[in-house]
Amino acid sequence: LETFKKAGVIQIVILTVLLIVSSLLTALALKILIQDKGYTFGFADSYHSLNLSQLASMIPGGIWGYVGFAGFLWSKGVSKVDSVIIILINTLLMLTACAVIGISGLVALFGWGYSIVCLLPFLFLLFGRNWMENIRQKYYPESSKLPSTWALLKVLSLGILVWLIESSCFAWLFYIGTENYAASFWTVAGAYATGYLGGYISILAPSGIGVSEGLVALILGNYLEIEK
């Protein structure tokens, strides 16, 4: 609460607008992915499906977010096979974008090599698309074609922009709240994205609660001690 008092109305409004924009861009990315597979899927559908998935992910177990996501897609006429494909590709692209921002921000700790490694799953999807399309046609001929290379690039680009905005907002709030500038802006932003990524892949806590915060505190803790 003290952080919001320090920020003032204008900065809070700006941060809120930026976070809303990032949420809308996330929905736009999913809409592009689904429409490229030939389905009629509006922006509102994309937005609501992501919200439902996020709410369902709060249930312990680690799979309910995907269940809620798939259920919404089915209700909109997306086949079960295509729903699985869409969820897998969307998750891969968004986590790749998150990892790129996270590791790039912490390059002083991890080195540039890890940033390149983060792109390997996407590069496999990009250059192996035709091979995977042949497998889809052979084993799941009733499903629609895989997203085009152009669609994959657009979704990844939007994902990187989303994580750039959200991580920057966190860094902004961090500086306002702590008044601590020992860590660079990109280090703080990278810590946020890295924390989210760690929480996402955790199966021990609903929606990564506690894990994400712990990783962020672990990464930034040394910088806070330095300032003291």
Side-chain angles (χ1 to χ4, degrees):
L1 186 58
E2 186 64 28
T3 299
F4 291 105
K5 290 181 180 179
K6 292 180 181 179
V9 175
I10 294 178
Q11 291 192 85
I12 292 300
V13 169
I14 294 174
L15 286 167
T16 301
V17 170
L18 288 173
L19 290 174
I20 290 174
V21 169
S22 71
S23 176
L24 297 177
L25 290 175
T26 304
L28 176 61
L30 178 61
K31 172 178 172 288
I32 291 172
L33 198 62
I34 296 177
Q35 287 188 345
D36 196 71
K37 283 182 65 63
Y39 288 98
T40 301
F41 202 80
F43 182 85
D45 294 328
S46 178
Y47 182 79
H48 293 317
S49 66
L50 290 172
N51 284 336
L52 179 61
S53 173
Q54 187 63 36
L55 287 173
S57 68
M58 300 300 292
I59 302 173
I63 65 169
W64 300 110
Y66 299 110
V67 172
F69 199 170
F72 190 94
L73 294 178
W74 297 346
S75 71
K76 292 298 178 179
V78 181
S79 72
K80 292 182 178 180
V81 173
D82 282 333
S83 294
V84 172
I85 292 174
I86 289 168
I87 292 172
L88 287 176
I89 293 178
N90 184 69
T91 301
L92 172 63
L93 294 178
M94 286 301 170
L95 289 183
T96 298
C98 177
V100 167
I101 296 299
I103 303 301
S104 297
L106 300 176
V107 66
L109 298 177
F110 298 109
W112 283 107
Y114 284 98
S115 297
I116 298 174
V117 169
C118 292
L119 288 173
L120 291 181
F122 172 74
L123 293 176
F124 173 78
L125 176 63
L126 188 67
F127 293 107
R129 180 196 174 280
N130 292 337
W131 172 70
M132 288 185 286
E133 175 64 14
N134 290 333
I135 293 177
R136 182 202 64 78
Q137 291 176 358
K138 180 177 180 179
Y139 294 102
Y140 303 102
E142 73 283 359
S143 62
S144 60
K145 63 180 179 62
L146 293 177
S148 65
T149 300
W150 177 234
L152 295 175
L153 288 171
K154 286 193 291 184
V155 172
L156 179 65
S157 298
L158 285 171
I160 291 175
L161 180 57
V162 165
W163 278 107
L164 186 60
I165 293 173
E166 294 191 2
S167 298
S168 297
C169 287
F170 172 81
W172 192 348
L173 277 174
F174 175 84
Y175 288 132
I176 292 173
T178 65
E179 298 181 349
N180 183 315
Y181 300 94
S184 69
F185 183 88
W186 289 117
T187 297
V188 179
Y192 173 78
T194 302
Y196 177 91
L197 185 63
Y200 192 96
I201 62 178
S202 172
I203 61 174
L204 301 178
S207 200
I209 293 177
V211 178
S212 297
E213 293 82 354
L215 284 174
V216 173
L218 180 65
I219 294 170
L220 298 180
N222 289 334
Y223 294 101
L224 293 174
E225 290 297 324
I226 290 173
E227 184 68 12
K228 291 178 181 180

